[in-house]
Amino acid sequence: MSSDVQTRRLSADTLSKNFEEVIPPYTEQEAVTEAGRCLFCYDAPCMRACPTHIDIPSFIKKIATSNKKGSARVILASNPLGLTCARVCPVEQLCEGACVLGAHHKPIAIGRLQRHATDWLAGSDESPFTAGKENGRKVAVIGTGPAGLSCAITLRQLGYDVTCYEAKPKPGGLDTFGIVSFREPVAIALAEAAFAERAGVKFVLGTRVGKDVPLQKLLDDFDAVFVGAGLGQVPSLGIEGEDLPQVLDALEFIERTKVDPLDSIPIGRRVAVIGAGNTAIDAATASKRLGAEEVSIVYRRSRAEMPAYAFEYDFAKMDGVIFRWLTAPVRVLGEGGKVTGLECVRMQLGEPGPDGRAKPVAIEGSTFTLPVDMVIKAVGQEGSFGWLKELGLESRGGRFVVGPDGATSHPKVWSAGDCAGEGGAEATVVAVVEAGKRAAYGIDARLGGPAARTRGTSDARILGAPIPLRASSASPAYVPQGVHR
């Protein structure tokens, strides 16, 4: 098979439509009608299911009276990244999955209602977060993804002088660069960073700590340092042919779809995506929407072990992605420096491994070749933390060991997110947002003295008013929509 990788497989107009958000926003009438179905439970199970514990009945009740500002205020009081979470949370497993109407009726569309309120906020001139009274303390935040931004906003509300250091040219981390546009547009992630900036959070962009600015300088200049650097790179497959130019890192591929003109991105006619997590789904559906004719997800285990959410799986199936279960890559085939195929072997599940999951075992004599001209690696993530070695932070499984408040083994360093104990398949954006908040309160408890320890969450300020801080989740279920052609 000859390799066929090219740009502009689809027209610019079709590409643009393919990367628009697949879930349509509610109209005002639709939102009010849906909000009217809510029972406004006193002891709402949806709130308990949300990692950030947003007062869901309260924000929905405000939508029912067309009070979007009040609704957004309730949401962001608990979840400073409520715009993102309205789009990417696995609501079927969290708030909507716990809705009392779900057993015999249709659960309330909590995610889409949250988006209705927070999208209004993004389109307004409101500055939702108010800085607390200056306390004379300074904190450096490394990374502006969900953990870093959540921590920075919370600290600013508590009166800290906060400076965020970000290696990328724009803030937002995963939300800006790692989630496909048809699930979350770049503008949404940047709006959340802009909210933080209006409250006085400072951003130093395009700057790598450890390279452009010494880590020791941050330790000397700031009272505390928060590390929310994520992981950010896909590990090597360790197979022959992996170094061919058409073998791509899924995260880098997704980032290109968010920052480059869509008609400038080369895509193969037949693409294989290795892995079956949410990033693999994003890479596969993005490939399909760029014009690839056949996209296969190659996974060495079965569907039951697939890390991706069920709604992500349904989404990919609707876009025509093929799932090749119990299949493992052996080597990438190539001719003239171009990918021509992926040699695979069929697997069967054996005895459980140390992690409790059935260990895949190769079936002798079952090798076959999958004709492809592009391979995308999406087999998890790993970090490169050489710049932190001087701190001697305790780590386990490639992530920092942290306490309940995000404290590390270094007295001036806190951490949360994928690079810390919250990493792994369970690290939803909303859980990471909550971890960033906890770290902010951990820093405050260490630096602020006894008063800070008893203050709890009651002093958080949003839209100018002090309100109790709880927490968040939410996101819409997939609305069926095929690839635009």
Side-chain angles (χ1 to χ4, degrees), residues 11-25 87 115 179-186 188 257-258 262 285-286 289-290 315 319 478-484:
S11 69
D13 183 59
T14 299
L15 287 170
S16 178
K17 290 178 179 177
N18 279 358
F19 281 79
E20 291 175 353
E21 285 194 84
V22 294
I23 298 170
R87 288 167 163 81
R115 175 179 165 185
I179 300 173
V180 284
S181 297
F182 44 85
R183 198 172 304 287
E184 179 180 11
V186 170
I188 294 299
T257 69
K258 301 202 77 173
L262 293 170
T285 50
R289 288 167 181 254
L290 283 170
F315 181 91
D319 269 7
Y478 173 64
V479 174
Q481 176 172 329
V483 178
H484 298 278

Side-chain angles (χ1 to χ4, degrees), residues 107-127:
I108 301 300
I110 299 170
R112 293 184 73 185
L113 288 174
Q114 177 169 323
R115 175 179 165 185
H116 180 74
T118 55
D119 278 7
W120 170 86
L121 183 63
S124 74
D125 295 326
E126 296 282 355
S127 296

Side-chain angles (χ1 to χ4, degrees), residues 372-392:
V372 298
D373 37 38
M374 180 176 281
V375 175
I376 301 176
K377 301 183 296 180
V379 289
Q381 298 180 44
E382 63 182 10
S384 178
F385 300 118
W387 54 279
L388 281 170
K389 282 185 178 178
E390 63 190 86
L391 299 182

